[in-house]
Amino acid sequence: MSTVNTYAKKRALQNEDWWAAWLGLLIFALGLGPFFGMDILGWVTKSSVWIDPAKAFAPVTKGVGISGFASLLATYVFILVLIGVASKFIGANMKKFFVGFTFIFWMTTLCLMIGNIAYIGATPDKTANYGIAWSLGLGEMGYIIAMVIGLIIGNFFLKFADYLKEAAKPELFIKIGIVVLGGSIALKSLDAFGLATTVIIRGICAVVEAYLIYWPVVYLIARKFFKFTPEWAAPLASGISICGVSAAIATGSAIRARPVIPIILSAVIIVFVAVELLLLPWLAQALLFKDPMVAGAWMGLAVKSDGGAIAAGAITDSLIRGRALSELGVNWEEGWILMVATTTKVFIDIFIGVWAFILAVIWSVFPIDKNSAVAQTGERGKVNPAEIWNRFPKFIIGFVLTFVILFLVGVVSPDDVSKLKPGVSEANALRTFFFGMCFFSIGLVTNVRKLWDEGMGRIVAVYGIALFGFILWVGLFISWLFYHGITPPTV
């Protein structure tokens, strides 16, 4: 028995999923410092929209007594130690890791900085704060820039890219970020529950749509018409229909897909999110300026990333309120359209862990893919707990814990929610870097030629057909069905 336990512990120490859960929970625990009167992560740097480069990075907590660059340097060292410990146990070459991680971190930092130039990253309602007349409003552009630069290095500087790959761990980075994300979603859920009940009830309908309508249709299209294997079709369906990168990676882990699959899908998803950010808010303004809450719900259902959906909601909020004031003479209160977009997205996100568990069970019980124990033994219909556990993405445990802990604290003691927010903001500042390094690493490890051979053209086709063929319009219809006639309070 002791030998079995020792082997299990050794496997856990070499498992990237477990490390993502542990490191994410560690960051979350440190972020709880303000709740106990200790600001442990106040020195962490945050990436901000800027006109003055000196203000691109600054400590999350004002008054900690260090400069923006010092906080950035401290953040680098902190993340280096965390990922370095995990990489050592996983079996990395530590010299290559140190060089590779240092390059990846600082290149990601540069990309985030470029993406946050006010002319690129400021939402329309914030341009006046920066003294500018216009902005693209692309709050996630830094991630796209990071991925593009990673692609350039990964496909044109092959020897250098190969050296860096020891530290390029896109799945580890994004999984840590997802664990931390659980706390942020919990706080948003608490805020939402403090709002009108009618909005919450309608937000729950988003879960039904995303999981029970979008998912099976996208899966069917991918399997039947584009001949993808279940290994490809399931993460593809989750990424397109649920929550973009997070859902694709959670699903890929649950069904034990090859790591390259969610990585490739993540690259496609983030590009489509950028396209949606460029198009949908202005389309919503043109079609729905008299139905603002419908527009907000539509952004939450249609844009398949958290940051993208919230950014689209903020842009839509500004555009519709401006047009309503000029053409209808109605001055709606700021933030309600954004709130609906955020609430809708949050209700979808909450069930990522549940969906990963459901798929882990399905892939264990039925012979869906040739690598499953059921397919190899022919014992269909018998639930093998070990197989379910092996398939279950362990980092989802961390995601669920961060969500449940903060949510329960907020429910039991609502007055303490304000104490939680500073620490969550600090943890989220770290999450920004983990997400950025993920997208840089995605580009770095993606060979475009091999990617095309794996079916990139078909992936883009499925995404385009699903998104523009029915997801946008079904989402618009359901948003109209539940939010039509509801308007924000006027100022």
Side-chain angles (χ1 to χ4, degrees):
M1 181 65 70
S2 60
T3 303
V4 173
N5 290 337
T6 301
Y7 178 69
K9 291 177 181 177
K10 184 177 179 180
R11 283 190 62 186
L13 288 173
Q14 295 173 340
N15 186 291
E16 194 174 88
D17 244 17
W18 275 118
W19 277 106
W22 295 331
L23 296 180
L25 286 170
L26 173 63
I27 292 170
F28 169 77
L30 295 176
L32 292 178
F35 183 77
F36 299 100
M38 301 177 292
D39 194 4
I40 301 173
L41 295 179
W43 49 266
V44 168
T45 197
K46 64 177 179 179
S47 177
S48 303
V49 176
W50 60 275
I51 283 291
D52 178 0
K55 297 180 179 179
F57 295 97
V60 177
T61 302
K62 295 180 180 180
V64 294
I66 60 175
S67 67
F69 179 75
S71 71
L72 183 59
L73 188 62
T75 301
Y76 157 72
V77 173
F78 180 73
I79 298 177
L80 171 66
V81 172
L82 291 185
I83 304 301
V85 171
S87 298
K88 177 66 176 178
F89 279 100
I90 292 171
N93 179 311
M94 294 310 293
K95 179 182 178 181
K96 287 185 177 181
F97 166 80
F98 175 78
V99 174
F101 179 85
T102 300
F103 182 84
I104 290 170
F105 178 89
W106 291 106
M107 282 300 299
T108 299
T109 299
L110 177 61
C111 294
L112 292 174
M113 184 176 179
I114 294 171
N116 276 328
I117 296 172
Y119 288 102
I120 297 175
T123 53
D125 58 324
K126 302 295 183 183
T127 53
N129 295 349
Y130 299 98
I132 59 178
W134 63 273
S135 171
L136 296 176
L138 298 175
E140 293 194 330
M141 194 64 186
Y143 296 153
I144 298 172
I145 294 170
M147 187 177 67
V148 169
I149 293 179
L151 281 168
I152 292 171
I153 295 173
N155 287 272
F156 294 98
F157 303 91
L158 301 181
K159 289 185 178 180
F160 183 52
D162 189 59
Y163 192 88
L164 296 176
K165 285 178 182 177
E166 196 72 23
K169 301 179 182 296
E171 287 205 65
L172 178 61
F173 295 147
I174 196 72
K175 288 173 181 178
I176 294 172
I178 292 171
V179 173
V180 175
L181 179 64
S184 179
I185 292 175
L187 286 189
K188 290 176 183 175
S189 300
L190 290 169
D191 288 340
F193 274 96
L195 297 167
T197 304
T198 182
V199 173
I200 302 302
I201 293 173
R202 286 161 173 79
I204 294 173
C205 296
V207 176
V208 177
E209 179 188 11
Y211 290 90
L212 301 184
I213 299 176
Y214 285 170
W215 200 95
V217 174
V218 176
Y219 184 84
L220 179 65
I221 291 173
R223 292 280 289 131
K224 185 174 180 64
F225 298 104
F226 288 87
K227 307 304 180 185
F228 278 105
T229 63
E231 183 189 30
W232 278 96
L236 181 57
S238 294
I240 295 175
S241 63
I242 299 173
C243 183
V245 174
S246 302
I249 288 178
T251 297
S253 296
I255 68 169
R256 296 173 72 178
R258 289 168 294 159
V260 69
I261 291 174
I263 289 173
I264 292 173
L265 295 178
S266 298
V268 175
I269 289 164
I270 196 65
V271 172
F272 269 94
V273 167
V275 172
E276 289 180 279
L277 274 173
L278 287 171
L279 297 177
L280 289 188
W282 283 267
L283 184 59
Q285 176 199 227
L287 298 176
L288 302 168
F289 74 97
K290 295 181 181 179
D291 240 336
M293 305 295 261
V294 174
W298 192 29
M299 296 304 103
L301 286 172
V303 183
K304 299 304 173 184
S305 80
D306 292 307
I310 293 168
I315 297 169
T316 303
D317 193 303
S318 177
L319 292 175
I320 286 184
R321 285 188 303 104
R323 185 172 178 184
L325 182 60
S326 63
E327 295 190 19
L328 304 176
V330 179
N331 189 9
W332 281 317
E333 188 175 303
E334 181 180 359
W336 279 78
I337 299 172
L338 171 59
M339 178 273 293
V340 173
T342 303
T343 302
T344 303
K345 197 71 178 69
V346 164
F347 276 110
I348 295 173
D349 291 351
I350 287 172
F351 287 86
I352 292 175
V354 176
W355 194 247
F357 177 75
I358 290 171
L359 291 178
V361 172
I362 292 172
W363 253 250
S364 300
V365 175
F366 299 99
I368 294 174
D369 70 82
K370 63 182 180 181
N371 296 319
S372 71
V374 177
Q376 293 170 1
T377 63
E379 296 179 351
R380 178 175 175 171
K382 293 184 178 180
V383 180
N384 184 336
E387 177 73 2
I388 295 172
W389 177 247
N390 288 336
R391 287 182 179 275
F392 185 73
K394 311 303 187 295
F395 73 97
I396 291 294
I397 298 172
F399 170 83
V400 172
L401 282 175
T402 57
F403 175 84
V404 169
I405 291 170
L406 256 64
F407 189 81
L408 288 178
V409 170
V411 170
V412 173
S413 182
D415 294 339
D416 288 330
V417 171
S418 60
K419 298 178 183 178
L420 297 170
K421 290 184 177 180
V424 171
S425 295
E426 293 164 0
N428 273 331
L430 289 169
R431 179 170 65 86
T432 298
F433 284 92
F434 283 115
F435 274 32
M437 290 189 295
C438 168
F439 285 108
F440 184 87
S441 299
I442 285 172
L444 196 65
V445 302
T446 300
N447 183 306
V448 173
R449 186 175 299 173
K450 289 182 180 179
L451 187 150
W452 193 264
D453 292 340
E454 286 276 4
M456 171 61 89
R458 290 185 297 149
I459 294 171
V460 172
V462 172
Y463 206 126
I465 289 170
L467 182 65
F468 296 108
F470 71 92
I471 285 179
L472 289 182
W473 316 120
V474 172
L476 177 57
F477 172 73
I478 291 181
S479 300
W480 181 88
L481 190 64
F482 287 103
Y483 286 96
H484 175 60
I486 302 175
T487 59
T490 56
V491 175

